[in-house]
Amino acid sequence: MKKFLKNFCIVFLTLALFSSKASAEATFVDNFDVTSQETEPNGFTFNNDGTKMFITGHVTDDIEVYTLTTGFDISTASHVESFQVHTEDQAGRDVKFNSDGTKMFYLGGSGIEVNEYTLTTAFDVSSRSHVATFSVSPVGFPEELEFSPDGTKMFVLDNTGNDVNEFTLTTGFDISTASYVQTLIVDVEEDTPTGLAFTYDGTKMFVLGWENDAVIEYTLSTAFDISTASMGDSYVLPGAGGDNTVGQYEGYENSPSSLTFSSDASKMFVMGRSYDKVHEYTLSCYYGVVNCIDPTSDKDDVASIEAQAEVAKKLIQHTADPVLNRMEWLRRNTDNANLTPQNIEFQFSNTILQSLSKLIPAYLNNKATTSELKELETIRDKRKKLISENAELEAQNEELKLLAKQKLLAKQKDQENKAANNWSFWSEGTVSFGRIGDSIISSAKKIKTSAITIGADIKSANNKMFGMALRIGADAIDFGNVKNSLDLDTVSLTLYESLLFGKNTFMDSLIGIGRFTTDVVNAVGYGSTKGKRDGNQVFASFKIRETIKRDKLNFTPNVKIDLGFSTLSDYVEEGPANLKFNRQNIGTIITSIGGTLDNIIDLNGGTLKPFLEMDYYADISPSSEQKISYKNDSTSTYKLVNIKGSTHNFKGKLGFDFITHTGWTFTSSYQRIQNKGNGYSDGLYLEVNYLPSKDTEYSMSLDNDKASLDYKRNINGLDFTVGSNYSLVSEIPDYGANIKISNTF
């Protein structure tokens, strides 16, 4: 029965090779002869960057060391030295290192044990010192040794038992803490297994053997848990069953003894005992021995895609919140003397924008100037009539009254014209921390956001308010493996308006545009891939609120909707995986309902206004889709669909305003957003405003891609100007500052 199953499996594997829809296959490149050092090589490995190769064998009981002038290119290999280890064990089967090369592990066939060494210099065998020995019983005859990346799992391949044995280590890479866990029998697929390897994330296992001269692929539903392994496809080494003399030059070995991959999984290496050669193969994709690994099944890749989409949506909220906070602050402090204009002037190099900056104040201050002119005309007509009737005395008296009124009207008009060209200046700094927990398909994410928003607005007597704000921020996201990260630089420009409907009902609205650049880093083995992705977005937000007043206590219920559309550019990773990500479109629809409760407390130094805000918001955004392919494999496209965040979310915000009598105002608040699930975000907000003297002016200019902010103060007839500038789109940091002192004679 066993023989029948084995023969059936061989036939099945052969058919699978030819009938499979696999889009990848290893390609033989070159081989390297080690006969001069070892005539029965068994195991081998590389250092992390592939510039050193280590081989152990059955005859010499040595560890042979080779250097490679080009990492993982065996054509550049040359032998350096040999090290005897027969004192600890003989008939060497394999050699491995921990992740940083400070520990070496030697698997012997004589004592059937693993020997642990410490290395004072990473990957320098000459600096070794023996530490411990661990028997790998119940293994009958060991062939290959493997560790998980953190060293908490150890695997030994048994040639006589035709099985893989799993051990757990309570302390990573400390074999004194090892204990046997379980065994996976592979004799149906391969009854003479000699080589063993895992993907870096432990979701794939590869077994090499003499019987079929093939690499057999297994899928593990739980990483590094061999009890969850299921057999997939296989890759038959080139030349199998053919001319051995020719085949050896094509990568064929009728006695393959060991298997390993480059640290970036773009190459596979097979040791052959018949011809004493190391054979090198290139892989068209990450661990693509037979099939390319579906990137949508990699939790870290999924986490990266989800994080990019979620950040794009959150950026809309993070941009809108400071502006809405500003308008809410103005509502809470309507009667505050510190709200008077602060002499802000905007300058634009674009003539259209400059014209708009002049027209907006005029629009906001569209008072009944026609009636004023009509009244002045009536005054003039009445004066003429009095003179014509020779009522000289009455005319003079009346004229004095009318001229006084005319002067008063002119003075009021002059003040209104000045107010129309004055802006109030504000700023808000934000720091937030968040976390989204691990899921079935995605790794956990840690999010940190910091930003500063500067803005200016103008308010008219008819309760109109218009403003603009510039936000510059940075987001840092870590996910999954410690090497995985997203770093975003963001900039956005927002125009906003607040209108009064009725006595205490307001509608706050804003529109804006944003741009962001993302640096993507994904860990692959001991290396990493890098990519750069640009994004653009347009957005709008509308909020209706009504204030219910009870003495000094105010309650303001509100409803809000955030809308946006973002595009993420396509990009290709630089590195081993070589994944290509297509352009991604992300729609945003977020509705919320809530309310704010605030109170007024009079203090000696000013006024304290604590407030509490509670909101529920629903993310009803349409799901987005990300298409992925391998750079070197255009035949297969993978899709990650239904990319969207938590639908139900709750927000709580607690803070206070403190308005001093000296012109300063301070606002501080803490915010918690809790997703229905295991995600949350904590935010800390700080806003500072100051009412300067009448001799102080601010100026904000936008010249193409350069933004500048100037501060001007007149002291004893001297003009002091401090200026700064920042490039909005340059990839190279471009900052500047200047100071100027002048006087006019």
Side-chain angles (χ1 to χ4, degrees):
M1 182 68 179
K2 180 178 178 181
K3 184 176 180 181
F4 171 77
L5 291 174
K6 182 173 69 175
N7 292 333
F8 174 80
C9 183
I10 294 172
V11 174
F12 173 78
L13 291 175
T14 304
L15 292 175
L17 177 66
F18 293 100
S19 63
S20 172
K21 297 180 180 179
S23 58
E25 186 173 293
T27 303
F28 174 73
V29 176
D30 203 353
N31 50 40
F32 179 76
D33 197 328
V34 298
T35 307
S36 300
Q37 293 80 46
E38 177 61 64
T39 56
E40 289 190 28
N42 292 315
F44 74 117
T45 191
F46 294 88
N47 67 344
N48 294 343
D49 62 5
T51 57
K52 279 189 174 183
M53 181 172 66
F54 307 86
I55 291 177
T56 184
H58 183 78
V59 176
T60 63
D61 300 323
D62 291 346
I63 296 177
E64 308 292 345
V65 182
Y66 303 79
T67 60
L68 290 76
T69 56
T70 302
F72 297 108
D73 182 354
I74 61 174
S75 68
T76 67
S78 60
H79 183 255
V80 177
E81 51 192 341
S82 303
F83 296 96
Q84 286 277 336
V85 289
H86 65 273
T87 304
E88 287 78 45
D89 205 344
Q90 298 178 5
R93 311 310 297 175
D94 200 7
V95 58
K96 290 292 187 293
F97 296 85
N98 67 340
S99 53
D100 63 3
T102 57
K103 283 191 175 184
M104 182 179 75
F105 303 88
Y106 178 72
L107 178 65
S110 179
I112 312 179
E113 60 192 20
V114 178
N115 288 274
E116 178 184 331
Y117 305 80
T118 59
L119 283 69
T120 55
T121 303
F123 297 104
D124 183 359
V125 182
S126 66
S127 67
R128 73 190 184 279
S129 76
H130 187 260
V131 175
T133 299
F134 176 77
S135 174
V136 293
S137 177
V139 176
F141 191 78
E143 277 288 351
E144 190 106 61
L145 176 69
E146 282 291 334
F147 289 90
S148 62
D150 62 359
T152 59
K153 291 282 187 77
M154 181 175 71
F155 303 89
V156 179
L157 184 67
D158 187 355
N159 183 269
T160 58
N162 304 323
D163 51 38
V164 181
N165 296 270
E166 178 183 328
F167 301 81
T168 184
L169 289 74
T170 55
T171 302
F173 296 108
D174 183 354
I175 62 171
S176 67
T177 67
S179 60
Y180 169 78
V181 177
Q182 59 189 339
T183 294
L184 173 68
I185 298 176
V186 297
D187 63 348
V188 175
E189 299 87 29
E190 175 60 63
D191 66 0
T192 314
T194 57
L196 178 70
F198 290 84
T199 58
Y200 192 78
D201 63 359
T203 59
K204 295 274 186 188
M205 180 178 71
F206 302 91
V207 174
L208 175 71
W210 289 2
E211 181 68 21
N212 300 315
D213 299 325
V215 179
I216 304 170
E217 181 182 287
Y218 297 80
T219 298
L220 284 68
S221 57
T222 301
F224 296 107
D225 183 353
I226 60 175
S227 68
T228 66
S230 59
M231 192 198 78
D233 292 325
S234 67
Y235 171 74
V236 180
L237 298 176
D243 187 341
N244 292 354
T245 304
V246 177
Q248 65 171 304
Y249 299 105
E250 299 175 348
Y252 170 67
E253 276 285 351
N254 58 13
S255 300
S257 60
S258 186
L259 171 72
T260 194
F261 293 87
S262 61
S263 59
D264 62 6
S266 64
K267 288 186 175 184
M268 179 180 71
F269 300 88
V270 174
M271 174 68 75
R273 192 177 299 173
S274 295
Y275 302 102
D276 309 325
K277 296 180 185 295
V278 179
H279 302 279
E280 177 185 330
Y281 303 81
T282 60
L283 308 177
S284 61
C285 53
Y286 184 57
Y287 287 110
V289 181
V290 181
N291 294 306
C292 291
I293 293 179
D294 184 353
T296 64
S297 65
D298 186 288
K299 297 180 68 173
D300 287 352
D301 284 332
V302 173
S304 176
I305 297 168
E306 288 181 342
Q308 293 180 61
E310 190 65 16
V311 166
K313 295 195 307 182
K314 290 295 184 184
L315 182 57
I316 295 175
Q317 291 181 295
H318 291 168
T319 302
D321 282 349
V323 175
L324 295 173
N325 290 343
R326 166 65 175 179
M327 290 186 279
E328 184 72 12
W329 183 87
L330 289 172
R331 183 205 62 80
R332 289 196 304 268
N333 301 277
T334 303
D335 301 325
N336 181 18
N338 294 359
L339 297 181
T340 56
Q342 299 186 20
N343 303 321
I344 303 292
E345 181 183 359
F346 284 90
Q347 299 289 336
F348 299 92
S349 60
N350 187 292
T351 56
I352 297 176
L353 293 178
Q354 185 64 25
S355 299
L356 288 174
S357 70
K358 303 299 183 184
L359 290 174
I360 289 168
Y363 162 74
L364 291 169
N365 290 272
N366 58 350
K367 299 188 176 72
T369 56
T370 303
S371 63
E372 295 171 1
L373 294 174
K374 188 176 180 179
E375 184 175 1
L376 291 174
E377 187 66 27
T378 302
I379 292 172
R380 296 189 186 97
D381 292 342
K382 193 171 183 179
R383 179 175 178 272
K384 291 178 181 179
K385 182 179 179 180
L386 289 171
I387 294 174
S388 65
E389 294 176 353
N390 296 318
E392 197 64 42
L393 182 60
E394 292 183 20
Q396 290 177 4
N397 291 333
E398 188 69 18
E399 183 178 8
L400 290 173
K401 294 178 182 179
L402 297 175
L403 287 175
K405 188 174 182 178
Q406 183 177 4
K407 186 175 181 180
L408 179 61
L409 290 171
K411 184 178 180 180
Q412 291 176 347
K413 183 64 178 177
D414 183 63
Q415 291 175 343
E416 292 164 1
N417 289 334
K418 289 181 179 180
N421 294 300
N422 283 311
W423 297 72
S424 293
F425 178 76
W426 61 275
S427 63
E428 181 176 292
T430 307
V431 178
S432 66
F433 301 87
R435 186 182 188 279
I436 300 175
D438 187 77
S439 70
I440 298 176
I441 64 170
S442 177
S443 303
K445 310 171 199 61
K446 296 180 180 179
I447 307 169
K448 178 183 178 181
T449 300
S450 58
I452 185 170
T453 303
I454 56 175
D457 44 51
I458 186 170
K459 187 176 181 182
S460 67
N462 57 358
N463 292 304
K464 288 183 180 180
M465 186 188 71
F466 175 86
M468 59 184 71
L470 177 69
R471 180 187 185 272
I472 300 174
D475 295 76
I477 302 167
D478 297 323
F479 56 94
N481 188 289
V482 68
K483 296 181 181 179
N484 297 327
S485 65
L486 296 174
D487 292 303
L488 287 86
D489 293 319
T490 64
V491 61
S492 55
L493 180 65
T494 306
L495 303 179
Y496 58 92
E497 184 178 48
S498 182
L499 300 174
L500 176 65
F501 297 94
K503 187 177 180 180
N504 292 307
T505 303
F506 291 84
M507 179 175 178
D508 301 333
S509 59
L510 62 90
I511 60 172
I513 57 174
R515 179 173 176 81
F516 49 94
T517 300
T518 307
D519 291 318
V520 186
V521 178
N522 284 346
V524 178
Y526 293 109
S528 59
T529 65
K530 297 181 179 179
K532 186 177 290 291
R533 195 175 204 183
D534 296 326
N536 297 285
Q537 62 183 194
V538 294
F539 56 88
S541 182
F542 304 92
K543 184 176 184 180
I544 299 176
R545 50 192 172 89
E546 181 175 3
T547 301
I548 303 171
K549 297 184 177 183
R550 292 291 185 271
D551 296 326
K552 295 184 177 182
L553 185 67
N554 300 308
F555 175 63
T556 306
N558 66 81
V559 293
K560 187 181 72 154
I561 183 169
D562 296 321
L563 304 172
F565 181 78
S566 307
T567 61
L568 305 181
S569 66
D570 58 350
Y571 77 102
V572 178
E573 291 181 334
E574 298 177 2
N578 285 323
L579 289 176
K580 179 181 179 181
F581 296 81
N582 289 13
R583 176 189 174 103
Q584 184 181 1
N585 298 323
I586 304 167
T588 301
I589 305 175
I590 300 174
T591 62
S592 70
I593 183 170
T596 303
L597 188 68
D598 63 82
N599 193 18
I600 301 175
I601 303 174
D602 294 322
L603 303 174
N604 291 332
T607 302
L608 180 67
K609 296 185 178 182
F611 59 89
L612 172 66
E613 180 180 339
M614 299 294 292
D615 293 288
Y616 162 79
Y617 69 88
D619 187 348
I620 56 175
S621 307
S623 61
S624 62
E625 177 184 276
Q626 177 66 74
K627 293 182 179 180
I628 315 168
S629 60
Y630 284 94
K631 180 182 178 181
N632 299 324
D633 178 25
S634 59
T635 61
S636 300
T637 300
Y638 309 89
K639 293 181 181 180
L640 184 63
V641 297
N642 198 32
I643 306 172
K644 60 183 302 181
S646 176
T647 302
H648 305 286
N649 307 272
F650 302 90
K651 182 177 75 172
K653 190 174 185 179
L654 180 66
F656 66 88
D657 301 329
F658 182 63
I659 303 101
T660 71
H661 298 319
T662 58
W664 289 94
T665 60
F666 302 90
T667 298
S668 181
S669 62
Y670 165 77
Q671 176 178 282
R672 161 61 72 100
I673 297 177
Q674 184 67 54
N675 304 333
K676 187 181 179 182
N678 58 356
Y680 69 88
S681 175
D682 293 323
L684 181 64
Y685 299 82
L686 178 62
E687 182 177 345
V688 179
N689 292 274
Y690 177 65
L691 176 65
S693 67
K694 63 180 181 178
D695 295 325
T696 304
E697 294 182 0
Y698 295 92
S699 176
M700 183 179 289
S701 301
L702 184 63
D703 184 5
N704 295 324
D705 65 334
K706 293 289 185 74
S708 64
L709 180 65
D710 296 325
Y711 169 84
K712 183 179 179 180
R713 179 78 180 272
N714 185 277
I715 303 177
N716 297 327
L718 293 175
D719 291 328
F720 292 84
T721 303
V722 179
S724 66
N725 66 72
Y726 175 75
S727 177
L728 301 178
V729 297
S730 176
E731 295 185 0
I732 302 174
D734 187 6
Y735 309 95
N738 59 79
I739 184 170
K740 182 174 67 175
I741 303 175
S742 61
N743 191 12
T744 302
F745 298 95

